[in-house]
Amino acid sequence: MAFVVEDQFGVNNHSHILQTNDETNIRYISNVLNYMDITKYVTGTGQPKLNKAQLQSIKIPFPPLEEQKQIAEILSTTDEKLEILRAKKETFETLKK
């Protein structure tokens, strides 16, 4: 399950919109939720879902805003570099075949 932060949302009963205040960074929250093991909060087997009460029970550590921004930047940069490496690996695997 991935949490995507965008300007426009398609919302249904299994989607949640997270709002921030002046002391939280949405990229930080998105990264934390994407890297957390939230399987203990999810219900359902065929179509796993996370309802509002379950989402609200997830404890997210909130360091000072500047630190949140730094963490989000590091994780985003790391994700970008990992994606480049995955693409290179896929290219090499294709060439190998």
Side-chain angles (χ1 to χ4, degrees):
M1 177 177 302
F3 293 87
V4 179
V5 180
E6 296 183 16
D7 293 333
Q8 307 239 340
F9 297 92
V11 179
N12 64 28
N13 61 344
H14 301 296
S15 295
H16 305 285
I17 296 176
L18 304 178
Q19 296 179 321
T20 61
N21 59 32
D22 291 339
E23 298 178 19
T24 56
N25 179 279
I26 193 66
R27 286 179 56 212
Y28 168 79
I29 295 170
S30 177
N31 278 311
V32 168
L33 290 172
N34 278 321
Y35 283 97
M36 284 179 75
D37 178 15
I38 60 169
T39 55
K40 64 182 175 184
Y41 302 99
V42 176
T43 61
T45 53
Q47 188 72 26
K49 57 187 170 237
L50 188 66
N51 66 33
K52 183 178 178 182
Q54 293 159 328
L55 180 60
Q56 289 175 330
S57 71
I58 297 174
K59 304 293 183 219
I60 299 174
F62 285 102
L65 181 59
E66 209 44 52
E67 191 174 335
Q68 290 178 43
K69 290 177 181 177
Q70 290 173 352
I71 291 168
E73 184 63 33
I74 289 166
L75 291 174
S76 295
T77 301
T78 302
D79 283 343
E80 290 168 7
K81 289 180 179 181
L82 284 171
E83 189 54 42
I84 290 168
L85 290 173
R86 281 187 201 103
K88 285 182 179 181
K89 180 182 178 193
E90 189 175 301
T91 300
F92 288 132
E93 291 294 326
T94 302
L95 289 172
K96 185 177 171 182
K97 290 178 184 178

